[in-house]
Amino acid sequence: MSRFTNLSFNVPVALLQTPNDSSRWFVVQQDGIVRQFSGTNPTSASTFIDISDRVRDGGEMGLLGMAFHPDFPTDNRVFLSYTQGNPLVSRISAFASSDGGATLDPATESVVLTINQPEQNHNGGNIAFGPDGYLYIGMGDGGSGGDPHGERGNGQRLTTMLGKMLRIDVSNPAQYAIPPTNPYAGNAPCPPGGRTSGECPEIYAYGFRNPWRWSFDRDNGDLWAGDVGQGVWEEVDLVTLGGNYGWRCREGAHDFNTGGTPGCTTGTLIDPVAEYNHTLGISITGGYVYRGAQNTSLLGRYLFGDFNSGRIWAWLAESAPQPREPTQLIDTELNISSFGQGNDGELYVVDYGGTLQRIDFDSVAGAGTAPRQLSETGCVSSTDPKQPASGLIPYAVNAPFWSDGAEKDRWIALPEGQGISIGVDGDWSFPSGTVLMKNFRIGTQLVETRLFMRHPDGAWGGFSYEWNAEQTQATLLEGGATRDLGGGRSWIFPSEGQCLDCHTEAAGRSLGLETAQLNRSFTYPQTNRSANELTTLNHIGVLTPAIADASTQPSMPDPYGATGTLSERARAYLHTNCSQCHRPGSATPTNLDFRYTTSLIATNACDAVPQAGDLGLGSNARVIAPGSSANSLVVNRMNRRDSSAMPPLASLTPDTAGVTLISQWIDSLSSCQ
């Protein structure tokens, strides 16, 4: 990192620019003053607004957040989040500029939202406009572990705005409105102190302890939040509409107070993406997904820090030392109160001691490069990247994974002189240096090429390449994104970390490459001849142990094919689409086992009462309810695309044929035998 300016500030807690002006910077001070300066070597800073006369500061109170209206200064409002008074309240107010955006006039305050605060800590306070144009507000749970209406239950209590991520529409200066897609949009606005019954319609997501700094990924709109922990765990959450992030039932991914908190046994709790314990830091500060111009492999990765320890991490799932453990980039002596993001995507660190720092990736661990063009990877023809390089082995599987209706072509690239090891369970493992390549096509158009590589140290990593409209080249896309393909269709490009979320260690990372999946006839494009894949791979000498006779090996049916019973085809579908997470040894907090070789009773799903909420199905809900697909959570989750959906990521469209298949199978069951 490098010092951004030589200026110093008093207890700074935020750094930002206006949406349409990169010439000025604004520093939010906890004492109630916003300072501004221009350029990178300013000699002084001026006051943008001073509301210290109405701000109650100290500890976790004060001026805590600021958000420019997206059309500023055409719309001359700027929103401030601060604590005020005794008794204490959190206030969201709009202030207007009367000089073309040069300053804000403290006399123009228009109070938008007031929330009573029972204690002086856990005030949250960050605010920002989302890509949907709505104002998002992060609120802590009210503080004080001994207060039954504070930490003990407010995160789960839907009758209060404390412990929540809120979302409101401020397009009308006279009165905020509730966005129609908010989970409880039909209810009347919540009073400052909450209510005794009826959910607050301002709620976007809930189950937070104190979301101290959160941000939107400017490329795909993802909402990332750092939620401060209690005694052991700090967490990073990927926040979605209607999601419940667990506090105070859980701290991070760990049970905390399930018996004493309302809602712990009835709702679906979303575990954090990443977490660290208090040996590494004790107060998380949320950051940003890097979208700047520096040449670094950290492009598209989420960076965050810790206020007390000064450490800065990135979330790199493929490099996680332990499940959910982030990768440390640098250990500083700063008290990191916030991160800032310039309009150019570059990132900055706000030191509570008064300084501002710029993140330079050539000075932190994790920086590096990858081939930017698919044609440079060696996996495809350098002159026609639509064609695989010589030596790649094409293959197909009996039961393919649902990929929002895309057609897929697959190849294996093995290092010279090395082969594939077949486990006793029929799963295949690959030597270091292996690359698995997959093309995704919508109709005749290539959309994405994914490379899944086993690195020299044995770790696997995923890379996504996005095809251009001319179909002449695909470019590395780091950090994931969602693209509009036209015709009302969108496509999710998973991040590198999401690749490993699906390609789990428990499943051996290389999904689909199993004896039962490749025991099938395949027409090889080089020769246009058909042959059994196992026979072909054995013939070229890459299987260990050898498979002399494919007819003696198990074969998984095509879920939509003419062979196999309804039960066999349904179980094949669940194996491909669910068992990478739902199997022994997985990090998923269930005991479900959807592998094809598992008996129905051994799935632990048949007639099983759901442990994470019934999703509105009522008391008859079961994970699999024999004879009733309508009461089966498996079907319900398959048929939705929200925080309760399965698969939980990388899909925007339910597999209607898969839903029909699994529904028919469940309806045909008379028992679990």
Side-chain angles (χ1 to χ4, degrees):
M1 293 193 301
S2 59
R3 183 78 178 260
F4 179 43
T5 79
N6 290 321
L7 300 177
S8 292
F9 300 89
N10 185 40
V11 289
V13 293
L15 173 70
L16 65 161
Q17 293 187 301
T18 68
N20 305 302
D21 181 4
S22 298
S23 66
R24 288 189 295 166
W25 289 93
F26 300 83
V27 179
V28 178
Q29 297 183 167
Q30 190 178 0
D31 60 9
I33 302 172
V34 178
R35 307 280 285 169
Q36 63 176 325
F37 63 88
S38 299
T40 56
N41 293 300
T43 58
S44 63
S46 62
T47 297
F48 185 58
I49 187 172
D50 183 347
I51 58 168
S52 56
D53 60 340
R54 67 201 76 175
V55 169
R56 183 178 173 187
D57 66 331
E60 296 180 19
M61 302 178 294
L63 177 56
L64 303 176
M66 174 174 167
F68 288 91
H69 190 279
D71 295 327
F72 185 85
T74 302
D75 187 316
N76 66 351
R77 291 177 296 163
V78 179
F79 297 79
L80 298 182
S81 170
Y82 66 95
T83 54
Q84 182 185 48
N86 189 14
L88 186 67
V89 298
S90 283
R91 181 154 287 168
I92 311 299
S93 290
F95 294 83
S97 174
S98 56
D99 52 12
T103 63
L104 291 181
D105 184 353
T108 63
E109 180 175 14
S110 174
V111 177
V112 176
L113 183 68
T114 299
I115 302 172
N116 293 351
Q117 289 287 359
E119 300 292 338
Q120 299 177 18
N121 60 338
H122 297 195
N123 303 138
N126 194 31
I127 57 175
F129 281 89
D132 52 15
Y134 297 131
L135 182 64
Y136 289 69
I137 302 162
M139 275 292 135
D141 66 2
S144 182
D147 181 354
H149 300 294
E151 282 184 349
R152 192 170 300 281
N154 283 336
Q156 297 299 313
R157 202 184 306 277
L158 299 177
T159 54
T160 174
M161 292 182 279
L162 296 170
K164 311 299 189 300
M165 185 70 71
L166 309 175
R167 182 175 69 164
I168 60 176
D169 182 351
V170 294
S171 56
N172 182 353
Q175 176 65 50
Y176 75 82
I178 302 298
T181 53
N182 276 15
Y184 313 108
N187 297 341
C190 240
R195 51 167 63 112
T196 57
S197 64
E199 300 90 346
C200 294
E202 295 86 353
I203 294 172
Y204 178 83
Y206 62 105
F208 298 99
R209 183 175 180 270
N210 193 35
W212 182 252
R213 297 315 181 222
W214 44 267
S215 64
F216 293 95
D217 182 344
R218 62 171 57 196
D219 193 69
N220 61 25
D222 285 346
L223 175 52
W224 293 81
D227 195 20
V228 179
Q230 170 80 5
V232 181
W233 296 99
E234 306 294 307
E235 68 182 82
V236 173
D237 294 310
L238 190 54
V239 182
T240 57
L241 178 66
N244 179 357
Y245 293 86
W247 179 255
R248 151 181 185 137
C249 308
R250 288 167 78 74
E251 182 188 23
H254 312 272
D255 287 345
F256 184 79
N257 192 35
T258 57
T261 303
C264 290
T265 60
T266 59
T268 299
L269 307 181
I270 301 174
D271 280 342
V273 173
E275 63 182 6
Y276 61 91
N277 64 36
H278 283 187
T279 64
L280 299 174
I282 61 174
S283 183
I284 192 171
T285 298
Y288 290 86
V289 174
Y290 179 65
R291 297 292 183 186
Q294 296 183 58
N295 187 16
T296 170
S297 62
L298 293 170
L299 182 70
R301 304 305 190 113
Y302 180 68
L303 275 65
F304 60 99
D306 188 90
F307 178 82
N308 289 78
S309 72
R311 290 184 170 97
I312 296 176
W313 293 274
W315 173 235
L316 308 173
E318 71 278 13
S319 301
Q322 299 291 334
R324 300 189 181 90
E325 185 176 335
T327 298
Q328 182 174 312
L329 302 180
I330 189 171
D331 189 355
T332 77
E333 296 182 356
L334 307 175
N335 288 124
I336 302 172
S337 62
S338 190
F339 288 79
Q341 184 181 50
N343 290 341
D344 59 0
E346 298 301 332
L347 297 185
Y348 301 83
V349 176
V350 179
D351 174 22
Y352 195 62
T355 66
L356 307 176
Q357 310 285 331
R358 183 181 189 272
I359 295 180
D360 301 312
F361 287 102
D362 59 358
S363 63
V364 299
T369 59
R372 310 303 300 175
Q373 305 297 326
L374 183 62
S375 58
E376 299 169 350
T377 63
C379 297
V380 297
S381 167
S382 59
T383 57
D384 183 5
K386 294 190 295 295
Q387 300 300 319
S390 176
L392 268 66
I393 305 168
Y395 74 99
V397 296
N398 281 318
F401 184 82
W402 169 250
S403 298
D404 283 4
E407 296 293 327
K408 289 170 278 191
D409 301 302
R410 308 166 181 85
W411 293 268
I412 305 168
L414 293 169
E416 186 70 28
Q418 300 192 54
I420 302 166
S421 298
I422 301 176
V424 294
D425 60 354
D427 197 15
W428 295 4
S429 62
F430 295 84
S432 296
T434 297
V435 178
L436 308 176
M437 183 170 75
K438 187 182 297 183
N439 281 348
F440 294 79
R441 290 179 287 107
I442 302 295
T444 59
Q445 291 291 107
L446 281 166
V447 176
E448 179 184 5
T449 294
R450 294 179 193 166
L451 304 181
F452 195 50
M453 178 180 181
R454 190 165 196 186
H455 297 293
D457 62 359
W460 287 89
F463 304 90
S464 177
Y465 288 82
E466 180 182 13
W467 282 89
N468 60 17
E470 296 76 23
Q471 301 284 279
T472 57
Q473 187 61 270
T475 302
L476 182 68
L477 181 62
E478 294 178 289
T482 300
R483 300 290 196 231
D484 183 0
L485 301 182
R489 186 166 195 165
S490 297
W491 181 259
I492 293 177
F493 293 82
S495 68
E496 297 85 342
Q498 288 174 326
C499 290
L500 295 183
D501 287 343
C502 287
H503 288 264
T504 63
E505 184 175 2
R509 298 298 190 194
S510 56
L511 307 181
L513 285 153
E514 306 167 272
T515 299
Q517 283 274 37
L518 275 76
N519 193 358
R520 67 191 300 279
S521 180
F522 178 65
T523 301
Y524 289 87
Q526 304 98 316
T527 62
N528 204 34
R529 296 175 60 183
S530 298
N532 182 279
E533 291 189 78
L534 298 182
T535 301
T536 301
L537 292 170
N538 191 68
H539 176 72
I540 62 177
V542 298
L543 298 182
T544 303
I547 296 178
D549 184 358
S551 66
T552 65
Q553 301 300 312
S555 180
M556 194 176 296
D558 179 348
Y560 310 112
T563 62
T565 66
L566 175 61
S567 176
E568 290 169 339
R569 291 186 288 111
R571 296 296 306 285
Y573 182 93
L574 293 176
H575 176 92
T576 295
N577 289 277
C578 306
S579 76
Q580 67 270 34
C581 292
H582 294 297
R583 63 168 64 203
S586 170
T588 305
T590 71
N591 65 346
L592 302 178
D593 185 359
F594 283 135
R595 291 176 297 172
Y596 183 68
T597 54
T598 307
S599 68
L600 177 57
I601 191 67
T603 63
N604 299 315
C606 190
D607 206 31
V609 176
Q611 300 300 304
D614 59 22
L615 300 182
L617 298 185
S619 60
N620 292 325
R622 298 292 185 270
V623 180
I624 292 176
S628 178
S629 58
N631 290 322
S632 297
L633 260 71
V634 166
V635 174
N636 185 286
R637 289 185 183 276
M638 287 174 59
N639 203 30
R640 61 198 303 159
R641 285 298 177 267
D642 57 14
S643 61
S644 298
M646 289 293 166
L649 49 81
S651 176
L652 296 170
T653 307
D655 182 2
T656 55
V659 170
T660 299
L661 171 67
I662 300 303
S663 296
Q664 290 175 344
W665 169 59
I666 291 176
D667 289 337
S668 74
L669 298 173
S670 58
S671 70
C672 296
Q673 300 303 316

